[in-house]
Amino acid sequence: IAVVDFYATWCGPCIAAAPRFAAMAQQYVTSSGPVHVVFCKIDVDRNSDLQAKYEIRAMPTFKILFDGDVEDTITGADLGAVESKLGMLIQYAKSKTQPAPSAASTAA
């Protein structure tokens, strides 16, 4: 899972959201267990190719990727929505990593 913050250095909401985004990164990197979560920030003024590829039209925009695909896009500094979607994806990913029940335990 990757959480990408598309931001601009001149964007007030981006600046305001930065400390909480950093705190979320610290929290999820250490607490997501077997699920690998990566957080990154992309300055749209320095990376116009990625801005175009991911169709970023407002800042901040958060993209949440799962298995390489964009799973969700949150436009604006709504980090509660980012955290909610991330929590759901982590739970889903954890369920995929659980071993399947053995034949002996399902027959009992």
XYZ file of all heavy atoms in Angstrom:
806
model
N 0.865 -1.170 0.000
C 0.000 0.000 0.000
C 0.901 1.219 0.000
O 1.877 1.282 0.746
C -0.915 0.013 1.239
C -1.816 -1.219 1.255
C -1.748 1.298 1.267
C -2.628 -1.380 2.534
N 0.556 2.180 -0.833
C 1.288 3.449 -0.871
C 0.300 4.590 -0.695
O -0.781 4.584 -1.284
C 2.033 3.600 -2.183
N 0.683 5.547 0.121
C -0.101 6.759 0.314
C 0.758 7.909 -0.202
O 1.855 8.146 0.310
C -0.464 6.984 1.797
C -1.332 8.220 1.945
C -1.147 5.754 2.378
N 0.260 8.589 -1.225
C 1.036 9.633 -1.878
C 0.352 10.978 -1.670
O -0.834 11.130 -1.959
C 1.177 9.350 -3.391
C 2.065 10.397 -4.046
C 1.719 7.944 -3.632
N 1.115 11.925 -1.155
C 0.642 13.288 -0.938
C 1.198 14.155 -2.057
O 2.402 14.398 -2.123
C 1.134 13.783 0.429
C 0.817 15.241 0.709
O 0.119 15.891 -0.095
O 1.275 15.738 1.757
N 0.321 14.581 -2.972
C 0.710 15.516 -4.010
C 0.487 16.916 -3.436
O -0.646 17.268 -3.099
C -0.127 15.309 -5.270
C 0.212 14.040 -6.002
C -0.441 12.857 -5.698
C 1.184 14.031 -6.989
C -0.136 11.687 -6.370
C 1.496 12.866 -7.666
C 0.837 11.679 -7.357
N 1.549 17.694 -3.314
C 1.482 18.982 -2.631
C 2.262 20.035 -3.413
O 2.960 19.731 -4.383
C 2.056 18.861 -1.218
C 3.569 18.788 -1.199
C 4.328 19.908 -0.905
C 4.234 17.602 -1.509
C 5.715 19.857 -0.920
C 5.614 17.541 -1.518
C 6.347 18.667 -1.225
O 7.721 18.613 -1.246
N 2.128 21.279 -2.957
C 2.932 22.380 -3.481
C 3.457 23.164 -2.276
O 2.764 23.294 -1.266
C 2.095 23.276 -4.377
N 4.666 23.664 -2.404
C 5.287 24.380 -1.288
C 4.551 25.662 -0.935
O 4.614 26.120 0.202
C 6.763 24.707 -1.598
O 6.816 25.490 -2.806
C 7.583 23.442 -1.762
N 3.828 26.242 -1.890
C 3.105 27.495 -1.676
C 1.666 27.277 -1.208
O 0.935 28.228 -0.952
C 3.085 28.314 -2.971
C 2.719 27.488 -4.175
C 3.583 26.926 -5.074
C 1.406 27.106 -4.590
N 2.890 26.213 -6.033
C 1.544 26.310 -5.752
C 0.116 27.346 -4.106
C 0.457 25.768 -6.433
C -0.963 26.792 -4.785
C -0.794 26.023 -5.934
N 1.234 26.035 -1.055
C -0.157 25.685 -0.743
C -0.380 25.675 0.774
O 0.194 24.838 1.482
C -0.453 24.316 -1.353
S -1.952 23.528 -0.776
N -1.218 26.597 1.265
C -1.499 26.682 2.694
C -2.065 25.405 3.291
O -1.560 24.923 4.318
N -3.110 24.800 2.695
C -3.642 23.545 3.244
C -2.605 22.411 3.227
O -2.612 21.555 4.110
C -4.833 23.231 2.342
C -5.275 24.570 1.828
C -3.996 25.349 1.654
N -1.720 22.424 2.238
C -0.658 21.407 2.185
C 0.280 21.558 3.376
O 0.653 20.567 4.013
C 0.146 21.527 0.891
S -0.793 21.322 -0.622
N 0.637 22.795 3.657
C 1.536 23.069 4.781
C 0.865 22.683 6.092
O 1.489 22.072 6.967
C 1.950 24.564 4.770
C 2.794 24.852 3.526
C 2.692 24.936 6.040
C 2.968 26.326 3.217
N -0.420 23.004 6.213
C -1.149 22.674 7.438
C -1.291 21.165 7.631
O -1.250 20.670 8.761
C -2.532 23.329 7.410
N -1.441 20.410 6.544
C -1.641 18.960 6.625
C -0.337 18.188 6.828
O -0.362 17.035 7.271
C -2.338 18.461 5.361
N 0.786 18.800 6.529
C 2.077 18.094 6.554
C 2.408 17.426 7.887
O 2.815 16.254 7.893
C 3.198 19.028 6.117
N 2.238 18.084 9.036
C 2.589 17.408 10.295
C 1.726 16.168 10.565
O 2.238 15.150 11.036
C 2.363 18.476 11.364
C 2.445 19.775 10.649
C 1.911 19.502 9.272
N 0.438 16.253 10.267
C -0.422 15.090 10.497
C -0.078 13.957 9.532
O -0.104 12.788 9.896
C -1.894 15.477 10.374
C -2.799 14.315 10.715
C -4.200 14.723 11.044
N -5.034 13.540 11.209
C -6.302 13.492 10.893
N -6.922 14.560 10.441
N -6.979 12.386 11.052
N 0.243 14.299 8.283
C 0.652 13.278 7.310
C 1.921 12.577 7.800
O 2.018 11.352 7.753
C 0.870 13.914 5.935
C 1.165 12.924 4.854
C 0.154 12.178 4.278
C 2.460 12.734 4.401
C 0.426 11.253 3.268
C 2.747 11.821 3.398
C 1.718 11.075 2.828
N 2.875 13.348 8.309
C 4.119 12.764 8.837
C 3.832 11.871 10.034
O 4.422 10.791 10.165
C 5.098 13.871 9.212
N 2.918 12.290 10.904
C 2.557 11.468 12.066
C 1.879 10.176 11.634
O 2.146 9.104 12.195
C 1.656 12.257 13.013
N 1.004 10.259 10.630
C 0.360 9.045 10.109
C 1.403 8.095 9.537
O 1.334 6.882 9.755
C -0.655 9.400 9.016
C -1.950 9.959 9.525
S -3.065 10.500 8.191
C -3.054 9.128 7.073
N 2.351 8.646 8.819
C 3.403 7.811 8.234
C 4.146 7.056 9.324
O 4.363 5.850 9.228
C 4.361 8.665 7.413
N 4.516 7.765 10.371
C 5.231 7.133 11.482
C 4.368 6.049 12.127
O 4.837 4.949 12.422
C 5.637 8.183 12.509
C 6.460 7.641 13.636
C 7.823 7.132 13.167
O 8.398 7.662 12.232
N 8.313 6.110 13.800
N 3.115 6.357 12.351
C 2.201 5.413 12.999
C 2.013 4.140 12.176
O 2.143 3.039 12.690
C 0.843 6.075 13.225
C -0.204 5.120 13.757
C -1.597 5.736 13.759
O -1.773 6.930 13.548
N -2.591 4.910 13.966
N 1.714 4.286 10.896
C 1.388 3.116 10.093
C 2.610 2.312 9.682
O 2.517 1.109 9.501
C 0.557 3.517 8.870
C -0.871 3.780 9.255
C -1.332 5.071 9.442
C -1.749 2.734 9.483
C -2.639 5.316 9.818
C -3.056 2.967 9.866
C -3.496 4.265 10.033
O -4.786 4.492 10.414
N 3.737 2.960 9.551
C 4.955 2.215 9.210
C 5.322 1.275 10.352
O 5.794 0.164 10.132
C 6.097 3.182 8.846
C 7.439 2.482 8.829
C 5.825 3.834 7.508
N 5.041 1.687 11.589
C 5.412 0.855 12.736
C 4.288 -0.059 13.212
O 4.546 -1.001 13.948
C 5.864 1.727 13.918
O 4.805 2.612 14.283
C 7.093 2.534 13.574
N 3.030 0.183 12.796
C 1.928 -0.596 13.369
C 1.120 -1.413 12.374
O 0.136 -2.024 12.756
C 0.964 0.343 14.112
O 0.272 1.163 13.186
N 1.501 -1.429 11.127
C 0.679 -2.125 10.137
C 0.970 -3.622 10.057
O 0.356 -4.324 9.266
C 0.824 -1.470 8.759
O 2.172 -1.470 8.363
N 1.885 -4.106 10.879
C 2.148 -5.548 10.945
C 2.712 -6.082 9.647
O 3.631 -5.495 9.086
N 2.129 -7.189 9.149
C 2.686 -7.820 7.957
C 2.406 -7.049 6.665
O 2.919 -7.390 5.620
C 1.981 -9.179 7.926
C 0.668 -8.931 8.599
C 0.975 -7.906 9.672
N 1.599 -6.024 6.743
C 1.251 -5.233 5.562
C 2.254 -4.088 5.434
O 2.474 -3.332 6.370
C -0.186 -4.675 5.680
C -0.517 -3.809 4.484
C -1.187 -5.804 5.837
N 2.870 -3.996 4.269
C 3.874 -2.957 4.031
C 3.170 -1.687 3.548
O 2.466 -1.705 2.541
C 4.879 -3.447 2.988
C 6.032 -2.539 2.796
N 7.036 -2.415 3.720
C 6.325 -1.695 1.799
C 7.919 -1.541 3.284
N 7.502 -1.085 2.119
N 3.342 -0.600 4.289
C 2.742 0.686 3.939
C 3.862 1.701 3.724
O 4.753 1.828 4.558
C 1.777 1.184 5.036
C 1.154 2.516 4.636
C 0.692 0.156 5.317
N 3.794 2.412 2.600
C 4.788 3.417 2.244
C 4.073 4.759 2.110
O 2.999 4.830 1.511
C 5.470 3.064 0.904
C 6.410 4.168 0.461
C 6.187 1.743 1.002
N 4.654 5.791 2.678
C 4.135 7.146 2.546
C 5.161 7.964 1.769
O 6.360 7.842 2.025
C 3.938 7.794 3.915
C 2.746 7.279 4.674
C 2.766 6.026 5.261
C 1.610 8.050 4.800
C 1.683 5.545 5.964
C 0.510 7.579 5.505
C 0.548 6.321 6.090
N 4.697 8.785 0.842
C 5.624 9.665 0.143
C 4.923 10.966 -0.234
O 3.697 11.027 -0.295
C 6.245 8.996 -1.068
S 5.093 8.598 -2.368
N 5.732 11.973 -0.450
C 5.238 13.287 -0.829
C 5.840 13.646 -2.184
O 7.026 13.420 -2.408
C 5.644 14.327 0.211
C 4.997 14.096 1.575
C 5.516 15.045 2.629
C 5.135 16.473 2.414
N 3.741 16.829 2.670
N 5.006 14.208 -3.057
C 5.470 14.610 -4.381
C 5.122 16.076 -4.587
O 3.945 16.455 -4.573
C 4.842 13.734 -5.480
C 5.302 12.285 -5.302
C 5.199 14.277 -6.860
C 4.706 11.308 -6.266
N 6.145 16.879 -4.765
C 5.984 18.302 -5.044
C 5.579 18.432 -6.513
O 6.362 18.125 -7.415
C 7.301 19.024 -4.764
C 7.233 20.523 -4.985
O 6.301 21.004 -5.665
O 8.139 21.214 -4.490
N 4.347 18.890 -6.755
C 3.827 18.937 -8.124
C 4.589 19.930 -8.999
O 4.642 19.762 -10.221
C 2.312 19.237 -8.148
C 1.536 18.118 -7.482
C 1.992 20.575 -7.514
N 5.181 20.952 -8.389
C 5.930 21.929 -9.173
C 7.260 21.367 -9.661
O 7.810 21.849 -10.645
C 6.165 23.203 -8.359
C 4.869 23.954 -8.115
O 3.977 23.918 -8.988
O 4.733 24.571 -7.034
N 7.759 20.364 -8.992
C 9.028 19.738 -9.396
C 8.827 18.435 -10.152
O 9.789 17.864 -10.667
C 9.897 19.465 -8.172
C 10.391 20.716 -7.515
C 11.222 20.376 -6.303
N 11.788 21.571 -5.740
C 13.057 21.711 -5.430
N 13.898 20.730 -5.623
N 13.486 22.839 -4.919
N 7.594 17.944 -10.181
C 7.304 16.657 -10.809
C 6.044 16.755 -11.663
O 5.060 16.050 -11.439
C 7.121 15.582 -9.730
C 8.389 15.351 -8.948
O 9.297 14.700 -9.413
N 8.455 15.944 -7.760
N 6.104 17.600 -12.670
C 4.920 17.834 -13.506
C 4.512 16.578 -14.279
O 3.340 16.401 -14.587
C 5.159 18.999 -14.460
O 6.287 18.759 -15.272
N 5.473 15.691 -14.564
C 5.126 14.450 -15.258
C 4.225 13.573 -14.389
O 3.233 13.015 -14.876
C 6.375 13.685 -15.690
C 7.331 13.387 -14.542
O 7.312 14.131 -13.524
O 8.102 12.423 -14.647
N 4.524 13.470 -13.101
C 3.667 12.687 -12.204
C 2.352 13.398 -11.936
O 1.305 12.754 -11.809
C 4.391 12.396 -10.896
C 5.554 11.421 -11.000
C 6.287 11.304 -9.666
C 5.074 10.060 -11.459
N 2.390 14.718 -11.869
C 1.156 15.481 -11.712
C 0.219 15.182 -12.881
O -0.974 14.951 -12.682
C 1.456 16.976 -11.640
C 0.201 17.822 -11.510
C 0.476 19.308 -11.529
O 1.564 19.753 -11.872
N -0.520 20.083 -11.161
N 0.745 15.155 -14.079
C -0.069 14.862 -15.257
C -0.529 13.402 -15.262
O -1.706 13.123 -15.517
C 0.718 15.173 -16.526
N 0.376 12.495 -14.986
C 0.037 11.063 -14.998
C -1.110 10.752 -14.042
O -2.006 9.980 -14.368
C 1.258 10.230 -14.629
C 0.972 8.746 -14.545
C 2.200 7.941 -14.166
C 1.835 6.476 -14.033
N 2.989 5.653 -13.707
N -1.075 11.339 -12.851
C -2.098 11.050 -11.838
C -3.231 12.087 -11.825
O -4.076 12.060 -10.943
C -1.447 10.923 -10.459
C -0.671 9.639 -10.341
C 0.710 9.629 -10.490
C -1.324 8.430 -10.129
C 1.423 8.436 -10.413
C -0.617 7.240 -10.055
C 0.754 7.255 -10.197
O 1.468 6.071 -10.124
N -3.236 12.949 -12.847
C -4.324 13.917 -13.061
C -4.599 14.770 -11.820
O -5.737 14.922 -11.394
C -5.585 13.192 -13.526
C -5.370 12.418 -14.809
C -6.576 11.604 -15.246
O -7.538 11.448 -14.465
O -6.547 11.125 -16.384
N -3.537 15.345 -11.277
C -3.654 16.191 -10.094
C -4.034 17.592 -10.546
O -3.330 18.219 -11.322
C -2.324 16.221 -9.300
C -1.860 14.805 -8.962
C -2.465 17.102 -8.065
C -2.851 13.985 -8.166
N -5.184 18.071 -10.045
C -5.672 19.383 -10.424
C -5.811 20.329 -9.227
O -6.060 21.512 -9.405
C -7.003 19.249 -11.135
C -6.848 18.589 -12.499
C -8.153 18.341 -13.175
N -8.108 17.831 -14.521
C -7.446 16.798 -14.992
N -6.657 16.140 -14.209
N -7.524 16.398 -16.236
N -5.679 19.811 -8.013
C -5.786 20.621 -6.797
C -4.839 20.037 -5.761
O -4.526 18.850 -5.785
C -7.218 20.606 -6.279
N -4.403 20.898 -4.861
C -3.514 20.452 -3.800
C -4.114 20.812 -2.447
O -4.745 21.858 -2.340
C -2.132 21.098 -3.932
C -1.207 20.438 -4.922
S -1.679 20.649 -6.617
C -1.483 22.373 -6.864
N -3.904 19.965 -1.453
C -3.268 18.652 -1.610
C -4.246 17.641 -2.207
O -5.452 17.754 -2.054
C -2.914 18.263 -0.176
C -3.947 18.946 0.672
C -4.269 20.229 -0.053
N -3.693 16.673 -2.883
C -4.433 15.504 -3.342
C -3.675 14.289 -2.849
O -2.459 14.202 -2.996
C -4.563 15.465 -4.875
O -5.375 16.555 -5.298
C -5.201 14.160 -5.339
N -4.414 13.375 -2.236
C -3.823 12.137 -1.726
C -4.299 10.990 -2.600
O -5.496 10.847 -2.860
C -4.242 11.903 -0.274
C -3.802 13.004 0.645
C -4.631 14.077 0.909
C -2.545 12.978 1.224
C -4.230 15.106 1.744
C -2.126 14.007 2.053
C -2.970 15.073 2.311
N -3.363 10.194 -3.060
C -3.674 8.985 -3.828
C -3.269 7.803 -2.966
O -2.168 7.773 -2.408
C -2.898 8.933 -5.144
C -3.227 10.046 -6.117
C -4.430 9.730 -6.942
C -4.663 10.801 -8.006
N -5.813 10.496 -8.836
N -4.158 6.828 -2.862
C -3.856 5.602 -2.132
C -3.789 4.488 -3.154
O -4.766 4.226 -3.879
C -4.917 5.323 -1.054
C -4.997 6.522 -0.094
C -4.578 4.035 -0.305
C -6.102 6.424 0.927
N -2.620 3.861 -3.235
C -2.400 2.798 -4.210
C -2.336 1.449 -3.511
O -1.779 1.331 -2.417
C -1.100 3.040 -4.974
C -1.112 4.223 -5.939
C -0.868 5.519 -5.227
C -0.089 4.009 -7.023
N -2.918 0.464 -4.155
C -2.920 -0.903 -3.633
C -2.570 -1.822 -4.781
O -3.223 -1.786 -5.830
C -4.297 -1.236 -3.061
C -4.372 -2.580 -2.400
C -3.834 -2.778 -1.141
C -4.973 -3.645 -3.040
C -3.898 -4.010 -0.527
C -5.040 -4.885 -2.435
C -4.506 -5.075 -1.176
N -1.544 -2.619 -4.616
C -1.053 -3.500 -5.677
C -0.784 -2.734 -6.974
O -1.060 -3.215 -8.065
C -2.032 -4.650 -5.928
C -2.011 -5.694 -4.831
O -1.017 -5.754 -4.090
O -2.993 -6.448 -4.706
N -0.292 -1.493 -6.834
C 0.089 -0.695 -7.988
C -1.028 0.093 -8.649
O -0.775 0.863 -9.564
N -2.254 -0.106 -8.218
C -3.392 0.596 -8.806
C -3.905 1.663 -7.844
O -3.913 1.455 -6.628
C -4.536 -0.373 -9.111
C -4.153 -1.427 -10.136
O -3.482 -1.064 -11.126
O -4.511 -2.596 -9.939
N -4.387 2.768 -8.395
C -4.981 3.805 -7.554
C -6.308 3.275 -7.027
O -7.217 2.957 -7.777
C -5.195 5.117 -8.330
C -5.934 6.137 -7.465
C -3.862 5.690 -8.796
N -6.373 3.153 -5.716
C -7.563 2.642 -5.047
C -8.512 3.770 -4.669
O -9.720 3.600 -4.683
C -7.149 1.860 -3.797
C -8.260 1.177 -3.079
C -8.898 0.048 -3.866
O -8.226 -0.585 -4.693
O -10.099 -0.198 -3.655
N -7.946 4.931 -4.323
C -8.787 6.050 -3.931
C -8.015 7.349 -4.115
O -6.784 7.369 -4.083
C -9.221 5.918 -2.471
C -10.517 6.650 -2.171
O -11.053 7.338 -3.065
O -10.997 6.543 -1.038
N -8.775 8.420 -4.311
C -8.231 9.769 -4.432
C -9.001 10.663 -3.478
O -10.232 10.681 -3.505
C -8.385 10.293 -5.868
O -7.676 9.430 -6.762
C -7.856 11.717 -5.997
N -8.281 11.374 -2.646
C -8.891 12.326 -1.725
C -8.301 13.692 -2.058
O -7.093 13.904 -1.955
C -8.633 11.965 -0.246
C -9.312 10.651 0.101
C -9.154 13.053 0.673
C -8.426 9.479 0.144
N -9.160 14.609 -2.486
C -8.727 15.963 -2.816
C -9.046 16.870 -1.642
O -10.159 16.847 -1.128
C -9.433 16.452 -4.090
O -9.147 15.536 -5.161
C -8.951 17.837 -4.492
N -8.057 17.650 -1.237
C -8.208 18.517 -0.077
C -7.518 17.895 1.120
O -7.086 16.743 1.087
N -7.442 18.657 2.178
C -6.675 18.232 3.360
C -7.507 17.371 4.307
O -7.430 17.527 5.523
C -6.119 19.451 4.075
N -8.285 16.442 3.763
C -9.141 15.567 4.571
C -8.363 14.311 4.965
O -8.564 13.233 4.405
C -10.411 15.212 3.813
C -11.422 14.459 4.657
O -11.116 14.131 5.829
O -12.522 14.191 4.137
N -7.473 14.454 5.928
C -6.649 13.323 6.344
C -7.458 12.275 7.103
O -7.050 11.117 7.169
C -5.461 13.808 7.161
C -4.416 14.543 6.301
C -3.397 15.236 7.160
C -3.751 13.584 5.346
N -8.619 12.650 7.628
C -9.506 11.659 8.230
C -9.977 10.653 7.186
O -10.022 9.451 7.441
N -10.304 11.142 6.001
C -10.712 10.252 4.906
C -9.548 9.373 4.457
O -9.732 8.186 4.161
C -11.251 11.063 3.731
N -8.357 9.950 4.415
C -7.161 9.170 4.045
C -6.961 8.044 5.052
O -6.763 6.883 4.677
C -5.908 10.077 3.973
C -4.651 9.244 3.773
C -6.062 11.114 2.878
N -7.035 8.383 6.317
C -6.809 7.390 7.370
C -7.884 6.303 7.359
O -7.598 5.125 7.538
C -6.746 8.071 8.726
C -6.175 7.191 9.798
C -5.692 7.970 10.997
O -6.039 9.147 11.156
O -4.940 7.370 11.792
N -9.121 6.687 7.115
C -10.219 5.723 7.055
C -10.007 4.723 5.921
O -10.106 3.508 6.114
C -11.541 6.465 6.875
O -12.597 5.567 6.719
N -9.706 5.218 4.728
C -9.487 4.338 3.576
C -8.252 3.467 3.797
O -8.265 2.274 3.490
C -9.335 5.172 2.305
C -9.215 4.343 1.068
C -10.470 3.520 0.829
C -10.377 2.743 -0.459
N -11.634 2.108 -0.822
N -7.215 4.045 4.355
C -5.999 3.279 4.619
C -6.276 2.148 5.596
O -5.830 1.016 5.394
C -4.906 4.204 5.153
C -3.576 3.558 5.501
C -2.982 2.836 4.298
C -2.619 4.610 6.024
N -7.032 2.433 6.652
C -7.380 1.391 7.618
C -8.132 0.238 6.968
O -7.859 -0.936 7.240
N -9.079 0.570 6.083
C -9.833 -0.478 5.382
C -8.920 -1.320 4.497
O -9.035 -2.548 4.464
C -10.959 0.132 4.547
C -12.094 0.684 5.378
S -13.537 1.196 4.409
C -12.871 2.562 3.482
N -8.003 -0.668 3.790
C -7.097 -1.417 2.912
C -6.126 -2.288 3.699
O -5.799 -3.397 3.276
C -6.325 -0.453 2.010
C -7.101 0.084 0.831
C -6.279 1.125 0.083
C -7.519 -1.031 -0.109
N -5.667 -1.791 4.840
C -4.780 -2.611 5.667
C -5.516 -3.851 6.149
O -4.976 -4.958 6.096
C -4.219 -1.793 6.846
C -3.199 -0.763 6.333
C -3.583 -2.699 7.899
C -2.740 0.231 7.370
N -6.747 -3.691 6.603
C -7.537 -4.853 7.046
C -7.738 -5.838 5.905
O -7.619 -7.046 6.084
C -8.880 -4.406 7.627
C -8.759 -3.704 8.953
C -8.028 -4.547 9.984
O -8.261 -5.735 10.135
N -7.104 -3.920 10.701
N -8.042 -5.325 4.719
C -8.222 -6.188 3.552
C -6.924 -6.924 3.223
O -6.922 -8.132 3.001
C -8.687 -5.362 2.352
C -8.753 -6.161 1.087
C -9.760 -7.098 0.883
C -7.787 -6.002 0.090
C -9.813 -7.849 -0.283
C -7.831 -6.747 -1.076
C -8.844 -7.672 -1.259
O -8.884 -8.424 -2.405
N -5.816 -6.193 3.230
C -4.527 -6.813 2.915
C -4.154 -7.860 3.953
O -3.627 -8.926 3.612
C -3.439 -5.748 2.817
N -4.437 -7.579 5.228
C -4.150 -8.566 6.273
C -4.980 -9.829 6.066
O -4.495 -10.938 6.275
C -4.419 -7.981 7.659
C -3.351 -7.034 8.130
C -3.658 -6.497 9.518
C -2.566 -5.581 10.018
N -2.868 -5.030 11.351
N -6.229 -9.674 5.643
C -7.077 -10.853 5.424
C -6.548 -11.692 4.271
O -6.695 -12.908 4.272
C -8.526 -10.440 5.168
O -8.682 -9.864 3.881
N -5.922 -11.038 3.297
C -5.339 -11.778 2.174
C -4.084 -12.534 2.578
O -3.723 -13.508 1.937
C -5.006 -10.828 1.029
C -6.211 -10.345 0.267
C -5.835 -9.395 -0.846
C -4.870 -10.005 -1.825
N -4.590 -9.175 -3.000
N -3.400 -12.073 3.647
C -2.159 -12.725 4.058
C -2.386 -13.817 5.090
O -1.449 -14.521 5.450
C -1.155 -11.709 4.627
O -1.716 -11.103 5.802
C -0.794 -10.646 3.620
N -3.624 -13.958 5.571
C -3.928 -15.014 6.554
C -3.868 -16.363 5.834
O -4.379 -16.496 4.727
C -5.312 -14.813 7.162
C -5.461 -13.530 7.938
C -4.570 -13.487 9.170
O -4.377 -14.489 9.830
N -4.007 -12.334 9.432
N -3.299 -17.368 6.469
C -3.275 -18.682 5.849
C -4.695 -19.247 5.739
O -5.551 -18.974 6.590
C -2.419 -19.536 6.794
C -2.388 -18.783 8.082
C -2.646 -17.332 7.767
N -4.929 -19.961 4.684
C -6.232 -20.599 4.501
C -6.401 -21.671 5.561
O -5.432 -22.311 5.986
C -6.323 -21.205 3.103
N -7.632 -21.890 6.017
C -7.854 -22.946 7.012
C -7.443 -24.305 6.438
O -7.658 -24.586 5.271
C -9.364 -22.910 7.263
C -9.861 -21.641 6.654
C -8.837 -21.201 5.636
N -6.855 -25.122 7.296
C -6.444 -26.447 6.832
C -7.661 -27.341 6.684
O -8.710 -27.097 7.279
C -5.444 -27.071 7.814
O -6.110 -27.336 9.038
N -7.538 -28.385 5.923
C -8.639 -29.313 5.714
C -9.072 -29.958 7.029
O -10.244 -30.186 7.267
C -8.239 -30.396 4.703
N -8.113 -30.228 7.904
C -8.430 -30.843 9.194
C -9.289 -29.915 10.059
O -10.229 -30.347 10.709
C -7.151 -31.214 9.943
N -8.996 -28.620 10.047
C -9.759 -27.711 10.894
C -11.130 -27.422 10.310
O -12.062 -27.140 11.048
C -8.991 -26.391 11.105
O -8.867 -25.688 9.882
N -11.298 -27.534 9.006
C -12.620 -27.285 8.426
C -13.495 -28.526 8.497
O -14.694 -28.428 8.495
C -12.511 -26.841 6.938
O -11.796 -27.823 6.214
C -11.848 -25.486 6.845
N -12.888 -29.688 8.606
C -13.671 -30.932 8.689
C -14.187 -31.185 10.101
O -15.120 -31.944 10.300
C -12.811 -32.114 8.231
N -13.589 -30.570 11.088
C -13.959 -30.823 12.490
C -15.282 -30.250 12.871
O -15.961 -29.531 12.360
C -12.890 -30.272 13.416
